Amino acid sequence: MVTDATDVVVVPLWGWVALSAAIAVMLAVDLFMHRDNHVIGFREAAVWSAIWIAAGLGFGVIVWWAYGGDVAGTYYAGYLIEKALSVDNVFVFALIFTYFSVPDRYQHKVLFWGVVGALLFRLVFIFVGAELLAAFFWTAYTFGAFLLYTAYKMAFQHDKELQPDENLLVRLVRRVVPIDPNYHGDRLFTRVKGKRVATLLFVVLIAIEATDLIFAIDSVAAVLAITTSTFIVWTANAFAVLGLRSLYFCLSGLLRRFTHLHYGLAFLLAFAGLKLILSETPVGKLPIPVTLGVIVVTLTVSIVWSLLATRSADAAAAVDEGDRPREVRTD
């Protein structure tokens, strides 16, 4: 794969250690603040979302100070595309929680451990993907084709009915691990008649992790299309994923308004796939300002399109409701 200056970001070991420690501290604070399993309202979720977004944007400023505007631009491009793709995660998480009838007060715990798993998955995929792109030129074509296929599925098969209980990993866990088909508070494991078994909440966690495993492949490949710097790709993924829980509680009640967002996300995945393929042609890597511009415009158009469409639908529904004849009481 053709490389440029933004792909070669030398980060000392203490930088990796400091970042990992900061992420661990943020996760610990989040877990401590929600240790009582209270139901998270919109206001609390909005505050936490603002905190996570501020952390992600603030880290970009540090990157700008340390490595310059070009590298910071690649970070922000990766962060934006990750943040956008995480909205699609929220759709799926909502479907899984509804499917398993997960009580509201236990959803944060599942998402917390889901985020921990997501960070680990992405860390592995990032290093493996970057090494493959560096070692074999045809990897760019393979990843690019995969992103194009994923974009097609997102655009035209997004409404396909989800059956979390039929997931291969969930079925495998059900066969290997004894499962009690009930919730036992916020416990993932418990004892029933003296036998240690997994609870239904553990099955939900496996369904979340299995789903995110697929999302992780897509999202990591999309950011690798922007840069192969493992540090930039990892930080963009990490700061976007850290805010996933609060984003879910912010948007879970508003998901019906984002009816056309998946078309925008599909376009971004297709764009990333083409970008990867072009990187191995005489065209080379597209400039970061172009990439940032495409991401911002695509997200803006798809969100505005969704909001206008749902507002029109709501207005039409209100008119229909007003036109219905009212029941006349004769008593």
Side-chain angles (χ1 to χ4, degrees):
M1 183 177 181
V2 178
T3 61
D4 56 29
T6 61
D7 293 324
V8 185
V9 180
V10 179
V11 180
L13 179 60
W14 66 262
W16 283 92
V17 173
L19 176 66
S20 301
I23 291 174
V25 169
M26 288 188 286
L27 286 171
V29 169
D30 189 30
L31 183 62
F32 177 79
M33 294 295 293
H34 299 92
R35 65 190 184 282
D36 57 350
N37 292 323
H38 64 276
V39 177
I40 298 176
F42 176 81
R43 182 176 179 179
E44 180 183 357
V47 170
W48 275 100
S49 289
I51 292 173
W52 293 123
I53 291 173
L57 296 178
F59 184 78
V61 174
I62 295 175
V63 172
W64 198 312
W65 171 76
Y67 298 101
D70 289 341
V71 177
T74 62
Y75 166 79
Y76 280 124
Y79 175 77
L80 278 176
I81 200 169
E82 280 298 315
K83 203 67 176 175
L85 290 173
S86 66
V87 176
D88 209 50
N89 291 46
V90 171
F91 276 93
V92 177
F93 293 165
L95 290 173
I96 291 175
F97 286 149
T98 301
Y99 183 88
F100 287 105
S101 301
V102 181
D104 292 345
R105 61 187 180 277
Y106 303 142
Q107 291 178 5
H108 181 273
K109 180 172 183 176
V110 174
L111 290 177
F112 176 85
W113 291 112
V115 164
V116 172
L119 290 172
L120 295 176
F121 287 148
R122 281 162 169 76
L123 188 61
V124 173
F125 291 158
I126 286 166
F127 277 94
V128 172
E131 286 298 320
L132 287 174
L133 286 170
F136 307 104
F137 75 92
W138 49 262
T139 306
Y141 299 124
T142 304
F143 283 4
F146 173 75
L147 286 172
L148 290 173
Y149 172 70
T150 305
Y152 169 81
K153 288 184 62 178
M154 181 173 288
F156 300 105
Q157 299 180 18
H158 190 264
D159 295 330
K160 187 176 180 181
E161 186 177 356
L162 181 69
Q163 295 291 337
D165 218 17
E166 296 300 316
N167 182 277
L168 180 62
L169 184 57
V170 173
R171 290 163 57 190
L172 178 62
V173 169
R174 282 189 178 277
R175 289 191 176 190
V176 175
V177 181
I179 304 290
D180 182 81
N182 298 295
Y183 293 109
H184 294 264
D186 66 343
R187 287 177 288 180
L188 300 176
F189 294 90
T190 189
R191 288 190 177 276
V192 175
K193 297 180 180 179
K195 183 179 180 181
R196 186 170 178 81
V197 297
T199 68
L200 186 57
L201 199 66
F202 178 76
V203 177
V204 176
L205 175 59
I206 295 300
I208 292 288
E209 294 287 16
T211 302
D212 191 73
L213 182 62
I214 299 172
F215 279 117
I217 298 173
D218 298 343
S219 60
V220 168
V223 183
L224 284 172
I226 299 172
T227 178
T228 55
S229 166
T230 52
F231 185 77
I232 297 301
V233 178
W234 164 239
T235 51
N237 271 267
F239 280 105
V241 169
L242 282 171
L244 189 56
R245 297 176 309 289
S246 53
L247 183 66
Y248 168 79
F249 291 108
C250 272
L251 298 182
S252 58
L254 303 173
L255 291 179
R256 67 179 185 83
R257 299 298 304 272
F258 296 102
T259 53
H260 300 309
L261 181 61
H262 64 283
Y263 290 118
L265 299 180
F267 179 82
L268 289 180
L269 287 176
F271 173 72
L274 289 174
K275 197 171 185 297
L276 261 178
I277 294 171
L278 290 175
S279 68
E280 289 296 341
T281 69
V283 175
K285 299 189 70 171
L286 298 179
I288 289 301
V290 173
T291 301
L292 272 172
V294 169
I295 294 172
V296 172
V297 171
T298 301
L299 292 178
T300 302
V301 170
S302 57
I303 290 173
V304 171
W305 181 23
S306 297
L307 295 178
L308 291 176
T310 52
R311 186 174 68 175
S312 300
D314 290 345
V319 170
D320 291 342
E321 184 69 24
D323 289 341
R324 291 180 184 176
R326 295 184 179 181
E327 182 180 352
V328 179
R329 298 185 61 178
T330 58
D331 53 331

